[in-house]
Amino acid sequence: MELFGDFFKQLYDTTGWNFVIFYDQVEWDRFIAAIWTTIRLIIACLIFSVIVGFAGAWAQGAKSRIIRYGMAGYIQFFRNTPPFVQILFFYFVVGNLTPSYDAGGYQQAYIGSFGWAVISLGFFAGAFNTEIFRSGIEAVPESTVEAASSLGYTRLQSYIYVVFPLAFRVCLPALNNNLVNLLKTTTLAYGIAVPEMMYTANQIWSDNVNVPEMMIVLFLFYVGLVAVLVWGMHRWEKAMKIPGYG
Amino acid sequence: MSDAKKAAGWTPEQPMVSIKDLHKSFGDLEVLKGISLDVMKGECICIIGPSGSGKSTLIRCVNALNDIQKGSILVEGQEVNDPDLDKLELRKKVGMVFQQYNLFPHKTAIENIMMAPITVLKQDKEDVAKHAKSLIRKVRLEGKEDSYPGELSGGQQQRVAIARALAMTPDVMLFDEVTAALDPETVKEVLVTIQELAEEGMTCILVTHEMGFAKEVADHIYFTDRGVIVEHGPPKTFFKKAKDPRTKEFLSQIL
C-alpha cells in the first residue's frame, strides 16, 4: 500500500499528474466512502426500480380503470421529464412537504437526500421497467395462461408461476439496458448533494485543483461498475436460458 | 368424493356433464345456438364437425374458459353459468388438454405435471412426485422426466400435457383437437393414451377430426354445424345411417 502511495506521490512530483486520492489518507477515505455510497445508491435504486416495474406491470393489467389510467399517467410523467428535474423536484418540493423532526435546533426531514435520490431514480427507471415488463408479459401466449387457469390457477398464481418467469426471460436484455442506464443516471444525485462518486470527485478536484485526474478516475470507476453489472446480467440471462426454448 | 361435490346433490347416476340450451356469442357472432347434451360417468363422447362450427368453443365453455350468454352447464351438479362460480372447484373436476399442448416451457416434464397439485391443491410434494412418476409411466415417457418441453416431440409434449391434466385427478377430461398439430406418426401414440384412459373409465369429451378413432373409442358421437347439433348417435349407427344431408356431406368428405 505504501509502495502504491509512493508511486503516485512520485508521479505527482515528476509529472504534475495529481492522483491525490491514492497517496493522501484524507482524500483516500473520502474516495472509499464515495465508493460505498455509490454502490449502496445503485443497489437501492436497482431494487426499487425493479419492484416498481413489477408492481406497475401488474397494475397495468388491473381490472380497475382508475388504476390503469393512474399507471399510464405515472409512466407519461416520468418518461416525459428529465430525471435531473425529477430529482430536484422530489428533494426540494416533495421533500419540503414531508414530515421532519427537531434535530437540535433545526428541522431534519425523515427522508434525506439519499432517500429522495433512491425514490426519484427508482420511480424514473421504474416507469421504463414497467413498459419492459409489460412487453415481456404480452409475449407470453394467452394459451399458456389458459392452460394454467384450466389447472385451477388463480390470476395471481398464474402470474407468479407461469407468466412472470417466462416474461422475465423475454425482457431480460431490455431490462439489462435500462439498469445500465439507471446505474449511470445515479450520478445525478450529485444535484442534491448525495455524497456519491460524482459529488465526491467534484469536492476533491475543488480542493486539489486536479480536474483531469479525477475525471479519469470517474470514467474508470463507472466503466468498472457497468462491466460488473453487465457481467452479472449476462450470467443471469445464461442461467435462465431454457433448453429448446427461444 | 369431497363434501363440496356431495353438497351439490349430484349422484353418479345423473349425467356427469349436462348441457342445456347453451348459447354463446362473441360480440354479434353467435357461435353456439342452443346446444344440449348429456355425458354420463365413464362415457367417452366425440364432437365432430366442420371448422368454425363451435366445437372447441363448446368444450371451452365446460370448464369456464369461455363465458356463456344463456343456458346451463352442470358439471357434477355444479352450475358453470353462475357469476359466483367457484372456478377452482370446477377445475379440480375438469381436466383439459389443448391442441397446442400449452406446456409451461420453463419447467421440465415432471415439473409440469407436479406444479398444479402443489400450488393449487397444496398437496404434499413427495406424494405428488410419486403420483407424477406413475403418470409418466402411464403416458410412456420414462426417461423424459427431466426434459424441457422444447426438447420433446409434439407427441411427447401432448402426452406430458395429458399427464399434467391427470395429475389433478379430474373426473372429466376435455380434449380439444389434441392431435391436430401432430405429425401423422405421433398421432397414434397420443390416441393410444387417450384410448387407454377411456377404457379405464375416465369420462372424456373429445373434439376431434380423427374419425377412425371416434368410431373405435366413442360411446356417442355428436355432429355439430353452425352452432347446433345436427345429428348424434352411437358410432355404429352414426357412421352408417346418417340421415341429415349436412352430416352425409361432411362424412363423405372425411371418410
Side-chain angles (χ1 to χ4, degrees):
Chain A
M1 193 62 217
E2 205 146 285
L3 221 69
F4 182 73
D6 286 347
F7 170 78
F8 282 101
K9 187 91 186 68
Q10 189 78 29
L11 188 73
Y12 178 46
D13 291 340
T14 51
T15 64
W17 283 91
N18 185 10
F19 290 94
V20 63
I21 48 171
F22 296 130
Y23 63 80
D24 184 293
Q25 189 61 44
V26 175
E27 303 295 15
W28 171 256
D29 291 344
R30 254 170 149 181
F31 178 68
I32 294 296
I35 291 180
W36 288 121
T37 306
T38 306
I39 290 175
R40 271 173 49 224
L41 181 65
I42 288 168
I43 291 176
C45 287
L46 290 185
I47 292 173
F48 186 55
S49 78
V50 169
I51 293 172
V52 169
F54 266 127
W58 171 260
Q60 276 187 326
K63 281 200 183 111
S64 155
R65 200 177 289 179
I66 299 167
I67 296 178
R68 287 205 311 273
Y69 285 166
M71 275 317 298
Y74 154 68
I75 290 168
Q76 289 305 323
F77 178 80
F78 279 91
R79 249 193 344 196
N80 301 0
T81 53
F84 192 48
V85 177
Q86 291 165 14
I87 289 183
L88 298 179
F89 175 82
F90 268 96
Y91 186 62
F92 291 112
V93 181
V94 186
N96 262 340
L97 303 173
T98 53
S100 52
Y101 60 93
D102 191 345
Y106 65 98
Q107 288 294 309
Q108 178 79 43
Y110 282 105
I111 304 175
S113 60
F114 185 90
W116 284 117
V118 172
I119 291 169
S120 63
L121 288 168
F123 275 123
F124 164 69
F128 289 88
N129 284 349
T130 298
E131 291 290 273
I132 289 168
F133 288 142
R134 183 176 63 90
S135 74
I137 289 168
E138 281 173 5
V140 177
E142 183 59 31
S143 56
T144 309
V145 183
E146 262 179 5
S149 42
S150 78
L151 287 165
Y153 284 71
T154 61
R155 179 167 180 254
L156 183 64
Q157 284 172 333
S158 70
Y159 263 77
I160 294 172
Y161 295 102
V162 179
V163 177
F164 277 145
L166 290 171
F168 210 59
R169 288 168 166 91
V170 175
C171 63
L172 257 183
L175 181 69
N176 191 352
N177 257 339
N178 191 39
L179 294 187
V180 166
N181 259 328
L182 172 61
L183 187 157
K184 295 183 290 186
T185 311
T186 57
T187 47
L188 296 181
Y190 162 79
I192 52 172
V194 178
E196 46 75 67
M197 188 54 78
M198 180 71 220
Y199 182 84
T200 307
N202 181 303
Q203 285 194 317
I204 293 174
W205 76 51
S206 300
D207 292 349
N208 299 280
V209 202
N210 60 344
V211 179
E213 292 87 338
M214 288 314 293
M215 280 288 181
I216 291 170
V217 170
L218 258 186
F219 268 114
L220 293 179
F221 176 70
Y222 281 102
V223 164
L225 274 191
V226 170
V228 170
L229 178 65
V230 167
W231 176 79
M233 292 294 285
H234 277 172
R235 279 203 47 160
W236 198 13
E237 265 178 58
K238 258 195 183 155
M240 300 268 281
K241 206 164 160 41
I242 311 164
Y245 180 75
Chain B
M1 195 181 292
S2 75
D3 288 344
K5 286 175 190 172
K6 273 182 205 156
W10 176 81
T11 60
E13 292 77 41
Q14 292 168 317
M16 187 166 256
V17 178
S18 178
I19 302 173
K20 283 205 175 60
D21 195 31
L22 175 62
H23 288 258
K24 163 74 193 164
S25 307
F26 292 106
D28 292 333
L29 180 72
E30 193 173 33
V31 182
L32 301 177
K33 302 167 186 166
I35 299 262
S36 299
L37 62 87
D38 284 340
V39 186
M40 302 301 292
K41 184 172 165 40
E43 247 187 343
C44 175
I45 69 151
C46 285
I47 302 165
I48 62 171
S51 16
S53 64
K55 311 178 296 280
S56 291
T57 308
L58 172 61
I59 69 166
R60 288 165 55 86
C61 287
V62 174
N63 76 342
L65 281 181
N66 286 345
D67 57 347
I68 303 159
Q69 269 75 48
K70 204 182 130 201
S72 146
I73 301 178
L74 292 175
V75 178
E76 295 184 357
Q78 186 187 13
E79 175 58 64
V80 177
N81 188 13
D82 173 358
D84 300 323
L85 171 71
D86 180 351
K87 282 191 180 169
L88 176 60
E89 195 53 44
L90 174 70
R91 283 159 181 172
K92 276 196 240 170
K93 293 185 287 206
V94 183
M96 180 147 186
V97 185
F98 300 86
Q99 179 175 348
Q100 294 294 345
Y101 340 126
N102 300 349
L103 293 176
F104 306 132
H106 60 304
K107 296 285 177 182
T108 61
I110 194 104
E111 286 169 344
N112 262 278
I113 298 170
M114 290 171 62
M115 272 170 81
I118 293 171
T119 34
V120 177
L121 301 180
K122 317 276 184 228
Q123 288 175 355
D124 177 68
K125 207 173 166 182
E126 274 176 38
D127 296 344
V128 174
K130 262 187 223 156
H131 188 204
K133 274 191 193 125
S134 74
L135 288 170
I136 285 269
R137 272 197 299 280
K138 190 186 184 82
V139 297
R140 298 197 184 84
L141 283 172
E142 293 105 322
K144 297 287 181 190
E145 290 90 342
D146 298 323
S147 301
Y148 284 87
E151 300 172 313
L152 298 172
S153 74
Q156 291 169 334
Q157 289 190 58
Q158 195 58 291
R159 283 180 283 154
V160 174
I162 292 172
R164 180 177 69 174
L166 289 174
M168 296 288 285
T169 57
D171 296 335
V172 189
M173 286 283 281
L174 308 175
F175 296 91
D176 185 7
E177 300 195 32
V178 292
T179 56
L182 298 177
D183 302 329
E185 315 87 272
T186 53
V187 166
K188 200 166 172 243
E189 61 193 35
V190 173
L191 291 182
V192 165
T193 306
I194 299 173
Q195 186 168 11
E196 284 171 358
L197 267 181
E199 281 164 3
E200 283 167 21
M202 174 63 78
T203 312
C204 298
I205 303 178
L206 287 101
V207 168
T208 186
H209 290 290
E210 301 288 336
M211 291 306 141
F213 178 75
K215 205 184 261 180
E216 205 174 318
V217 177
D219 295 305
H220 211 86
I221 293 180
Y222 290 84
F223 173 71
T224 59
D225 190 20
R226 286 169 234 165
V228 293
I229 293 174
V230 177
E231 198 162 359
H232 66 93
K236 273 181 201 157
T237 54
F238 180 86
F239 284 106
K240 288 198 185 109
K241 297 173 191 159
K243 290 183 208 99
D244 193 280
R246 275 190 282 178
T247 321
K248 280 183 191 164
E249 195 199 334
F250 178 76
L251 290 177
S252 72
Q253 282 164 1
I254 271 203
L255 293 176

